[in-house]
Amino acid sequence: MLDAHRLAVLAEVAHAGSIAAAAQALSFTPSAVSQQVAKLERDVGARLLHRHARGVTLTPAGEALLVHAEAIVGELRLAERTVRALLDEELTVGTFASAGMTLVPAALAEFRRDHPGVALRLLDLEPPDGYGLVSSRDLDLLITHRYPGAPLPDPRGLERTLLRSERFRLILPQGHPKARARRLTLRELAAEDWISGSPGVPNRACLEELAGTAGVRLRVAYETRDYQVIVALVEAGLGIAFVPESVLDRVGPERVEVRDAADARPAREIFLVHHRRPGTLVTEMVARLSR
């Protein structure tokens, strides 16, 4: 029979991406973590990790075992939290940066007023990260997104519901000559400096897909995934960008020009992910976010 403690160590190593980081999170020595993984490999009769200079990655056998490890660790933590809830409740929410800035604060503040005794934790997680943490009960609720054209991760038996669809707006510096045009297209904006994430980041992949559909190449001159930084760079006159509409709620209309591209109207889907048997605190938080 596999040891639940060793499975928990494997899950932590997979989430941390290295033996050293997992050891720090578990308050173990790296040697102790390596020994636990080695014992688990002997138990299953297969190698579970590829070790390399930047850390570790899971072998196919490790990936297969991780799904079960997260589920088992999740059930153990659920049992622990069920008992703890009788004495001291807690709620841990994971969210991506822009939702943490626009969507989450009001819901958390309302929740805090109604439940002053609940210990609230908020973790910053960029999609697609976080699903495994919900499975292992490190997270009670995950707020995540999908950009156009991006695949949705396997929910691993979790409950995933669409919270909202959020459109993106095109922003240009104040006084930009193109801002006065009655109709804008990506082809007309192809010579501009664009601001987006680095290659592989969801907003960059979305921008590249939009450009491909329009048959143009866009030059990304400044790379950042932080939408507050993107707005600041546009405001400074350094380029143009697509940003989520919710981000613009915190930007004064005099700071940037807000338009739409006639041939590109991207939107991202925002999802809530939790266990299929959520506790009352998770159910209440989901209801607040849905409002």
Side-chain angles (χ1 to χ4, degrees):
M1 181 178 295
L2 297 180
D3 184 277
H5 174 69
R6 292 170 190 162
L7 291 172
V9 170
L10 176 68
E12 189 62 49
V13 170
H15 297 157
S18 74
I19 296 290
Q24 185 175 9
L26 293 167
S27 298
F28 291 170
T29 65
S31 175
V33 171
S34 294
Q35 289 174 15
Q36 291 299 311
V37 172
K39 290 177 181 178
L40 184 59
E41 288 178 327
R42 288 198 296 270
D43 289 342
V44 299
R47 188 178 180 184
L48 301 176
L49 298 178
H50 290 304
R51 292 167 173 81
H52 46 77
R54 292 183 305 238
V56 298
T57 55
L58 294 174
T59 65
E63 291 280 2
L65 188 58
L66 175 63
V67 175
H68 299 287
E70 289 172 337
I72 291 168
V73 172
E75 287 300 314
L76 291 173
R77 286 187 174 146
L78 175 60
E80 179 184 353
R81 288 187 178 187
T82 299
V83 175
R84 188 186 304 149
L86 299 174
L87 305 173
D88 184 22
E89 295 178 323
E90 66 178 24
L91 180 70
T92 302
V93 179
T95 184
F96 57 96
S98 57
M101 180 179 68
T102 61
L103 179 66
V104 174
L108 288 184
E110 290 178 4
F111 189 91
R112 165 66 70 221
R113 286 194 295 268
D114 291 347
H115 301 282
V118 173
L120 280 174
R121 293 181 64 230
L122 185 67
L123 300 182
D124 187 10
L125 294 167
E126 284 301 316
D129 294 345
Y131 283 78
L133 296 176
V134 180
S135 295
S136 64
R137 302 276 179 176
D138 288 289
L139 284 181
D140 297 301
L141 177 64
L142 174 66
I143 305 168
T144 187
H145 65 55
R146 176 177 66 168
Y147 277 71
L152 270 175
D154 183 350
R156 301 185 181 187
L158 302 172
E159 187 76 19
R160 179 172 58 205
T161 57
L162 178 65
L163 178 65
R164 61 184 290 191
S165 181
E166 180 179 32
R167 70 171 177 160
F168 280 64
R169 307 296 303 278
L170 177 68
I171 60 172
L172 305 91
Q174 273 291 327
H176 193 288
K178 296 288 178 66
R180 294 192 294 271
R182 295 183 59 185
R183 185 176 184 274
L184 285 174
T185 66
L186 290 188
R187 185 167 295 279
E188 293 165 336
L189 297 168
E192 301 292 329
D193 286 339
W194 285 78
I195 307 167
S196 186
S198 56
V201 170
N203 62 354
R204 178 67 170 272
C206 175
L207 182 64
E208 290 172 348
E209 180 173 314
L210 293 172
T213 301
V216 298
R217 290 179 61 87
L218 303 181
R219 182 176 67 253
V220 176
Y222 304 94
E223 295 183 354
T224 174
R225 67 193 307 163
D226 188 324
Y227 282 115
Q228 293 188 81
V229 176
I230 288 176
V231 171
L233 293 174
V234 173
E235 184 183 8
L238 294 172
I240 66 177
F242 281 111
V243 299
E245 195 165 38
S246 61
V247 171
L248 295 178
D249 293 340
R250 306 173 71 87
V251 179
E254 72 283 353
R255 290 174 54 184
V256 296
E257 303 277 3
V258 182
R259 297 291 305 274
D260 290 305
D263 56 347
R265 296 178 179 269
R268 68 179 176 186
E269 297 171 313
I270 300 176
F271 295 92
L272 300 179
V273 181
H274 54 74
H275 272 265
R276 290 182 174 175
R277 293 178 288 149
T280 56
L281 296 180
V282 174
T283 301
E284 183 174 336
M285 182 58 75
V286 167
R288 289 180 187 276
L289 291 167
S290 299
R291 289 198 298 268

